[in-house]
Amino acid sequence: MASEQASFLGETGQLVRAVGRAMGVTFKNLMRRPITVRYPTVKRVYPDRFRGILALTYDPQTGEENCIGCRLCEYICPPQVIKVEMLKAEKRNFAKTFTLELYACEFCELCVQVCPTDAIIMMKSFDLATADRRELLLDKDRLHALGLQFDPSWATGNRLRDMQAPPKAAKAAAAAQPTPDRRAAEPGAGVAAAQPTPDRRAAEPGEAAPTANTE
């Protein structure tokens, strides 16, 4: 009986101490200024390397779409959420259709890395929350509209490939450096080859002249 009472008092003491520590943290932060952002009324500034939703781009000089319908993004996409149909023209090709199932996208950025014309990029936003799954099935027009609506991320296909490739100065120096000829003779070997090899079959000095004494 005494042991049960001691156990109960010990557990009660642990509970009181735990509640006291928790309430201490609560009272400590009670008078602090709240850091909660009232989204979407107030939005935080996105970091420079933030990468959000995907979008298609236009050429700022010509106003044409950058997508040439090469389907590299479709082939490399792990969950296969991109579908592209090419439209061939006289001067260049275009994407006749471009669909992206954003609700199944992994945001791995592989499609951005392989794009040769920087047609598909990631934006500094994620503001596409919806209760209807069908609204996240994006066609070409919607993707272009997103590219005009939000700020683009710093990462494009060409920039990412330049980061992965060796520096141009190092590549130029390696190309300018002559490659040594492994087949060339070592220093001094040419001189030795030019010297005549003595005839082992020739007579030694003194043996060429016949002897005068013959018995």
Side-chain angles (χ1 to χ4, degrees):
M1 186 68 181
S3 60
E4 294 180 358
Q5 185 177 3
S7 175
F8 174 76
L9 293 177
E11 293 178 358
T12 304
Q14 293 179 0
L15 179 61
V16 171
R17 287 193 296 270
V19 173
R21 288 195 298 269
M23 296 305 296
V25 174
T26 302
F27 290 131
K28 182 179 178 181
N29 294 275
L30 183 62
M31 304 306 296
R32 284 188 177 183
R33 183 178 180 181
I35 60 174
T36 303
V37 176
R38 297 186 178 276
Y39 181 87
T41 305
V42 180
K43 296 182 181 180
R44 288 181 174 176
V45 179
Y46 295 107
D48 293 335
R49 290 181 175 269
F50 181 86
R51 305 172 194 181
I53 58 178
L54 294 163
L56 293 177
T57 62
Y58 290 101
D59 189 342
Q61 298 180 355
T62 62
E64 295 181 346
E65 342 176 324
N66 285 326
C67 183
I68 57 176
C70 63
R71 302 180 66 189
L72 288 177
C73 55
E74 178 181 347
Y75 295 144
I76 203 172
C77 180
Q80 295 294 303
V81 299
I82 300 177
K83 302 298 179 184
V84 184
E85 183 179 356
M86 179 187 295
L87 176 63
K88 296 185 177 181
E90 295 181 0
K91 296 183 178 180
R92 50 159 291 183
N93 299 331
F94 294 90
K96 182 178 180 180
T97 60
F98 194 111
T99 57
L100 171 64
E101 301 172 14
L102 193 64
Y103 50 79
C105 179
E106 295 181 355
F107 295 94
C108 62
E109 203 183 45
L110 290 177
C111 56
V112 178
Q113 296 182 21
V114 300
C115 183
T117 59
D118 293 342
I120 183 168
I121 61 175
M122 302 187 85
M123 313 302 293
K124 285 187 176 181
S125 179
F126 58 89
D127 300 338
L128 283 184
T130 178
D132 191 351
R133 186 187 181 102
R134 293 171 295 182
E135 294 184 7
L136 297 180
L137 179 60
L138 308 179
D139 59 2
K140 187 175 75 170
D141 295 336
R142 182 82 183 280
L143 289 168
H144 275 121
L146 293 174
L148 298 175
Q149 180 180 357
F150 301 107
D151 295 331
S153 172
W154 69 275
T156 61
N158 290 322
R159 289 179 182 175
L160 293 172
R161 286 190 296 271
D162 291 342
M163 291 177 61
Q164 298 173 0
K168 296 182 179 180
K171 292 168 61 177
Q177 186 176 2
T179 304
D181 190 359
R182 301 298 182 183
R183 299 172 299 175
E186 297 180 357
V191 178
Q195 295 178 355
T197 304
D199 190 358
R200 300 299 181 184
R201 297 172 299 174
E204 297 182 359
E207 294 181 355
T211 58
N213 289 331
T214 57
E215 295 182 356

